[in-house]
């Protein structure tokens, strides 16, 4: 069958064969390796981008966390200051009470010492009076009774004055 | 170069051109063996200039097609051996050119959201390269011997209706079977609705390339048009319609492929 425009089925099939050969050859020799390289590079870049985004996200989270901590630090410092002031006040009160207790102890000790000294002096005075009485009695026996009596009175007055 | 030397060079150049023009107009050109009608008819139908290919009488465009395929495969092989193994993440000029070529057709296959595009992108890459380099092939002016013993300049492979039909039918087959594999019988049905597609694609390609060939033949046929104009018509027009036709066929194939492979969402039942 003769077709118009010199259309020839055999030549169409030959052209098709030629194109299919070209397609197969170009695909395996050139297209596939170039596409494989491009896809590999694109996937490597995508991984790098993903990694960068992940790190950026982590850095932003850390920054937010630090900023939060910074904001809380001021209130923490104020709390610590007030706690330290309260502690200092408590320490000062305890020290004052301890000083008062010490002073009371010193005062009591001094009073006890004073009492003991008084008793000692009284005992000493009594002893001296006894001694004077004994001496007076001795003088009365051995000397003028009047002189001995005067001497006794003088000594007794002196000891009262002390 | 001094001003005097430049003037002498210019005068020699212009004198040479004048001498050549005088020689051309004074000498008789070779007698025309065929009329313009016969030339045009042969350009379109290739009835007179036939070539014997292993016992089969074929049009010269088929020889061109095999030559283009051979050249492209050889170039691809050389690139595969010497260029591709040296590819780097930061590409050089040749690598950039190859990546642009592959990326252009891959992008064309993907830009409409078609499915199963791996085969399509490889197909339109090959078709684009074949049309572009096949059209440029006619500029090389390779000669072949016809069955009548005359010499004929090999045309572009697709300036032959048989070449254009083969590419149109192959493109339609890709669209049809792509639709069948990606979207099932509905996809194939959508491709079958455009049954005129292989004819329109074939004749669009043939008409575009043939119009270029006819204009070029006319320019070369008439003596008065044979100076300067062939440079513009032969080279620039060929380059221009090589790019345009490569783009048009690949773009149309990608577009119709996308239409046949898309899965349309099921319509919600209305009560």
């Amino acid at each position: 069958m003769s077709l118009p425009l010199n259309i020839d089925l055999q030549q169409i099939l030959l052209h098709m064969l030629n194109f299919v050969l070209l397609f197969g050859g170009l695909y395996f020799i050139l297209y596939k390796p170039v596409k494989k390289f491009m896809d590999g590079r694109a996937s490597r870049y995508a991984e790098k981008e993903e990694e960068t985004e992940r790190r950026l996200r982590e850095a932003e989270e850390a920054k937010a966390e630090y900023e939060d901590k910074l904001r809380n630090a001021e209130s923490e410092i104020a709390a610590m200051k007030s706690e330290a002031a309260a502690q200092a006040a408590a320490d000062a009160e305890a020290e004052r009470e301890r000083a008062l207790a010490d002073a009371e102890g010193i005062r009591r000790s001094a009073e006890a010492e004073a009492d003991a000294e008084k008793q000692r002096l009284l005992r000493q005075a009594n002893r001296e009076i006894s001694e004077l009485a004994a001496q007076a009695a001795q003088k009365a026996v051995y000397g003028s009774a009047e002189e001995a009596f005067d001497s006794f009175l003088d000594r007794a007055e002196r000891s009262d004055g002390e | 170069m001094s001003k005097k030397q430049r003037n002498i060079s210019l005068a020699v150049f212009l004198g040479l051109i004048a001498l050549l023009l005088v020689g051309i107009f004074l000498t008789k050109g070779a007698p025309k063996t065929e009329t313009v009608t016969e030339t045009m008819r042969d350009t379109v139908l290739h009835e007179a200039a036939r070539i014997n290919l292993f016992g089969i009488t074929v049009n010269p465009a088929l020889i061109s097609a095999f030559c283009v395929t051979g050249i492209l495969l050889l170039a691809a092989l050389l690139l595969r051996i010497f260029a591709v193994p040296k590819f780097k993440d930061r590409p050089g000029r040749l690598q950039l050119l190859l990546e642009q070529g592959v990326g252009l057709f891959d992008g064309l296959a993907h830009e409409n959201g078609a499915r199963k595009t791996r085969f399509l992108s490889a197909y339109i890459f090959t078709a684009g390269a074949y049309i572009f380099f096949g059209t440029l092939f006619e500029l090389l002016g390779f000669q072949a011997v016809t069955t009548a013993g005359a010499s004929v300049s090999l045309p572009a492979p697709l300036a032959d209706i048989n070449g254009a039909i083969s590419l149109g039918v192959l493109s339609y087959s890709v669209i049809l079977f792509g639709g069948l594999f990606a979207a099932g019988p509905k996809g194939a049905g959508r491709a079958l609705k455009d049954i005129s597609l292989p004819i329109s694609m074939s004749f669009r390609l043939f008409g575009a390339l043939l119009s270029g060939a006819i204009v070029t033949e006319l320019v070369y046929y008439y003596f008065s048009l044979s100076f300067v104009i062939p440079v513009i018509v032969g080279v620039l027009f060929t380059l221009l319609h090589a790019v345009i036709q490569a783009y048009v066929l690949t773009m149309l194939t990608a577009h119709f492929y996308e239409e046949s492979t898309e899965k349309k969402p099921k319509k919600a039942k209305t009560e």
Side-chain angles (χ1 to χ4, degrees), chain A residues 5-8 10-12 14-16 18-19 22-23 25 27 29 31 33-35 37 41 44-45, chain B residues 45-46 50 56 59 62 65-66 69 76 80 88-89 95 99 106 121-123 126 130 161-162 166 169:
Chain A
L5 289 170
N6 196 19
I7 295 171
D8 185 342
Q10 189 185 40
Q11 287 194 55
I12 291 172
L14 280 167
H15 272 286
M16 282 184 179
N18 171 61
F19 187 82
L22 179 67
F23 173 74
Y27 178 73
I29 296 171
Y31 182 84
V34 174
K35 186 82 172 60
F37 175 84
R41 185 179 55 192
R44 276 201 307 280
Y45 283 169
Chain B
L45 302 176
H46 305 285
R50 307 295 296 272
I56 308 168
N59 294 343
L62 187 63
F66 285 125
T69 296
R80 179 69 185 86
K88 293 172 187 167
D89 276 358
Q95 184 185 342
E99 285 186 9
D106 194 48
S121 57
Y123 174 78
T126 310
Y130 182 61
I161 185 74
N162 298 314
S166 72
V169 171

Side-chain angles (χ1 to χ4, degrees), chain A residues 133-159:
Chain A
Q135 283 176 359
Q138 196 174 9
K139 273 187 181 176
V141 173
Y142 299 106
S144 164
E146 197 175 340
E147 283 178 1
F149 187 69
D150 288 341
S151 175
F152 167 71
L153 287 175
D154 287 339
R155 286 194 181 188
E157 278 175 5
R158 275 202 303 275
S159 83

Side-chain angles (χ1 to χ4, degrees), chain B residues 3-4 15 22 42 53 82 88 107 148 192 194 219 226 233:
Chain B
K3 197 175 176 182
K4 191 180 173 185
V22 168
D42 192 45
L53 177 73
F82 296 110
K88 293 172 187 167
L192 282 170
D194 297 315
V219 166
S226 298
V233 173

